[in-house]
Amino acid sequence: MSEERHYEEELSRRKRRERRQTGSRALGGLVEFVVILALSFVLVFGVVRPYIVEAFYIPSESMVPTLMVGDRVLVNKFIYRFTEPRRGDIVVFRSVEGGGEDLIKRVVGTPGDRIAVRDGRLYVNGEPQREPYVNRKFPDHSFFGPERVPPGHVFVMGDNRANSRDSRYFGPVPYGNLEGQAFLLFWPPARIRLL
């Protein structure tokens, strides 16, 4: 009988030891998860979002039909540290009118370009531009310029020219206001594509 009792006590001790080990493994796993989660947040919100890639929500109709209200795009935030903006780039920038608002438009003129709009048609350096992305459903009949883009600036316009407050109104955008280049439409999923 004492042998059986000894066996039961030993079995009970093993079970208590296993429960303690399981509990400490679970606690170790939880601590590891919390540390990984914290590091992920630091990387995403401390490095990736401010310096590499950020999602941007389209708030207005100024880029229709290329981008619709509610679309979401990814913005390459480091590209203009290595290269200058080019005509055709879709850029996110801080408003030159103040208020800290971010806007999204297409670059149509770079430093030294002479920009004019005649009855809604864009002219760069006296040449009419072929712009298949412009909203044809609501034609623009505006007139602007000519105006030369100063050094260190870009001239931006929305693709929905008849409904876009852009460089025709607030002037060229300094390079310092550029947040980055939109490169991927990722929402809604049915419209995912490179820009």
Side-chain angles (χ1 to χ4, degrees):
M1 188 83 165
S2 70
E3 196 174 303
E4 192 174 298
R5 187 175 191 154
H6 177 68
Y7 176 75
E8 286 176 7
E9 286 176 5
E10 182 63 32
L11 189 59
S12 176
R13 276 194 295 268
R14 282 185 187 165
K15 285 181 181 178
R16 282 193 302 268
R17 202 174 324 134
E18 285 175 6
R19 279 195 296 262
R20 279 195 304 266
Q21 287 175 345
T22 301
S24 74
R25 270 188 255 142
L27 182 62
L30 179 64
V31 169
E32 182 181 5
F33 174 74
V34 169
V35 168
I36 289 171
L37 187 62
L39 284 173
S40 298
F41 272 100
V42 167
L43 285 173
V44 169
F45 295 106
V47 177
V48 174
R49 186 170 178 253
Y51 300 109
I52 300 173
V53 174
E54 183 175 1
F56 182 77
Y57 171 82
I58 307 304
S60 74
E61 295 181 346
S62 71
M63 287 297 290
V64 169
T66 306
L67 299 170
M68 307 303 225
V69 173
D71 284 355
R72 294 181 188 271
V73 297
L74 289 180
V75 177
N76 179 338
K77 296 193 77 169
F78 65 89
I79 190 166
Y80 296 132
R81 293 186 182 139
F82 303 105
T83 184
E84 292 191 357
R86 296 172 301 164
R87 276 189 233 129
D89 287 358
I90 297 174
V91 295
V92 172
F93 59 97
R94 287 184 316 281
S95 173
V96 296
E97 297 178 302
E101 181 182 20
D102 284 338
L103 304 172
I104 187 165
K105 307 286 183 203
R106 188 179 298 273
V107 173
V108 297
T110 56
D113 285 342
R114 192 170 169 85
I115 303 297
V117 177
R118 299 286 173 253
D119 195 25
R121 181 106 192 238
L122 174 66
Y123 290 80
V124 178
N125 301 321
E127 297 293 321
Q129 299 300 295
R130 184 179 163 280
E131 299 180 291
Y133 42 78
V134 169
N135 190 353
R136 304 280 180 229
K137 287 183 182 176
F138 299 100
D140 176 34
H141 297 289
S142 68
F143 287 82
F144 173 85
E147 182 178 315
R148 191 166 302 279
V149 181
H153 290 70
V154 290
F155 198 94
V156 296
M157 294 174 73
D159 290 355
N160 192 6
R161 301 284 163 79
N163 187 19
S164 176
R165 185 163 175 80
D166 49 39
S167 287
R168 295 173 289 177
Y169 301 96
F170 52 69
V173 176
Y175 283 0
N177 284 44
L178 296 177
E179 296 284 339
Q181 178 185 6
F183 68 94
L184 177 70
L185 171 62
F186 72 92
W187 191 264
R191 299 185 57 227
I192 292 174
R193 71 180 192 291
L194 292 173
L195 297 172

